[in-house]
Amino acid sequence: STWGKKKMSDEKIVLGYWKIRGLAQPIRLLLEYSKIPYTEDVYEQGDAPNYDRSSWKSVKETVLGDYAFPNLPYIKHGSFSLTQSNAILRYIGNKASLLGKTEDEQIKVDFMIEQAKDFRDDLVDLAYDHKYEELKEKYQVRLGETLSKFSKYLGENHWFAGQNITVPDFMMYEMLDQHKRMFPLCLEKYDNLKAFCKRFEELPEIAAYMKSDRFMEKPCNGKSSYTSVHNIC
């Protein structure tokens, strides 16, 4: 593992999040791929109709000590705490040397982290909307346009920043996988995006993780989401 080169602490990283894939899944994938030892603080939301969040709210102000912006997901690493999922991804990516080897790659990493976030925001808006059935056709038209752009951007490269795997690949895999679960045929026209997903799943560390009991098949979203209520994803 490249982890040892930049180690700040011998303590395991602690990842805190809801018992869903959500914003934490790319972080989990990145930790697993990088062979970084970690444990999880798992918070569970209550069931309908109240979807009680007190498992988190009851510890929110104390779990990270005097950290100014407690939120989920978080990581704790020794005395260090961090929130904001993309900041966490960059922190781990930096430790594992997955933020790009050249300036060109680093620029693409920064761009694709933002682009993947927009892709996720769109999906989450739909996933939590209880007019899902009405909205999904329009969404799929937009999705086709978005996937065409991602396909064009990836081109013949193996990964989104070029020939080396970097942080946004973990985000993009998760978003493409969630879209496939919701719209099973959505990647049919995009051979390079299908090949990207297969290539990612065949990485030895990822393949092992997906076979392990640590891997979460679903839910992708919180209990109040349409996709969870109707067991779509």
Side-chain angles (χ1 to χ4, degrees):
S1 166
T2 51
W3 177 241
K5 291 179 200 165
K6 298 185 180 177
K7 193 180 280 189
M8 283 173 49
S9 161
D10 285 327
E11 294 181 57
K12 281 186 179 180
I13 280 185
V14 178
L15 170 63
Y17 197 58
W18 298 108
K19 195 178 180 178
I20 63 172
R21 283 167 65 153
L23 285 165
Q25 195 65 8
I27 300 169
R28 295 181 185 114
L29 291 167
L30 184 57
L31 288 165
E32 293 281 347
Y33 173 77
S34 306
K35 296 183 179 169
I36 295 170
Y38 72 102
T39 59
E40 292 197 53
D41 290 345
V42 179
Y43 299 93
E44 193 152 13
Q45 194 177 9
D47 293 324
N50 300 323
Y51 300 112
D52 179 72
R53 296 161 80 90
S54 60
S55 67
W56 164 241
K57 287 186 172 168
S58 62
V59 298
K60 182 177 178 180
E61 301 306 328
T62 54
V63 70
L64 299 181
D66 61 358
Y67 185 76
F69 292 98
N71 209 343
L72 294 175
Y74 64 72
I75 58 166
K76 295 189 286 186
H77 190 204
S79 59
F80 173 80
S81 298
L82 186 64
T83 53
Q84 290 290 358
S85 57
N86 288 354
I88 293 168
L89 285 164
R90 283 184 166 102
Y91 173 80
I92 297 163
N94 180 45
K95 300 245 163 272
S97 303
L98 291 171
L99 291 178
K101 298 184 192 304
T102 63
E103 187 183 22
D104 180 59
E105 280 188 0
Q106 288 158 7
I107 290 164
K108 286 177 174 167
V109 165
D110 280 342
F111 167 75
M112 276 302 301
I113 285 174
E114 301 308 321
Q115 205 61 46
K117 178 191 180 298
D118 288 354
F119 192 29
R120 178 188 150 73
D121 288 348
D122 269 359
L123 182 69
V124 169
D125 285 349
L126 176 67
Y128 281 84
D129 197 316
H130 284 256
K131 291 182 186 159
Y132 180 95
E133 295 301 331
E134 285 169 52
L135 298 170
K136 72 179 184 184
E137 269 182 51
K138 260 191 191 168
Y139 182 87
Q140 284 182 88
V141 173
R142 282 208 325 279
L143 175 60
E145 294 164 3
T146 303
L147 291 172
S148 293
K149 291 175 182 176
F150 281 129
S151 178
K152 182 180 177 183
Y153 188 87
L154 180 63
E156 306 215 331
N157 287 329
H158 278 190
W159 307 107
F160 276 94
Q163 292 310 308
N164 298 305
I165 192 168
T166 58
V167 162
D169 294 309
F170 296 83
M171 305 169 74
M172 285 301 299
Y173 171 77
E174 178 62 13
M175 284 299 94
L176 292 171
D177 188 59
Q178 285 194 28
H179 276 92
K180 277 195 302 184
R181 287 164 188 272
M182 291 163 71
F183 308 109
L185 301 177
C186 68
L187 296 187
E188 280 309 295
K189 283 195 259 175
Y190 309 104
D191 288 346
N192 63 344
L193 296 181
K194 283 193 288 189
F196 164 82
C197 290
K198 186 168 184 286
R199 188 178 299 121
F200 187 89
E201 288 164 359
E202 287 174 352
L203 293 164
E205 300 84 358
I206 297 299
Y209 172 52
M210 288 180 173
K211 288 190 194 111
S212 77
D213 57 8
R214 298 187 304 284
F215 182 69
M216 196 186 309
E217 199 74 41
K218 51 171 75 163
C220 294
N221 302 295
K223 287 187 180 179
S224 64
S225 68
Y226 187 91
T227 56
S228 287
V229 170
H230 294 271
N231 200 29
I232 294 167
C233 169

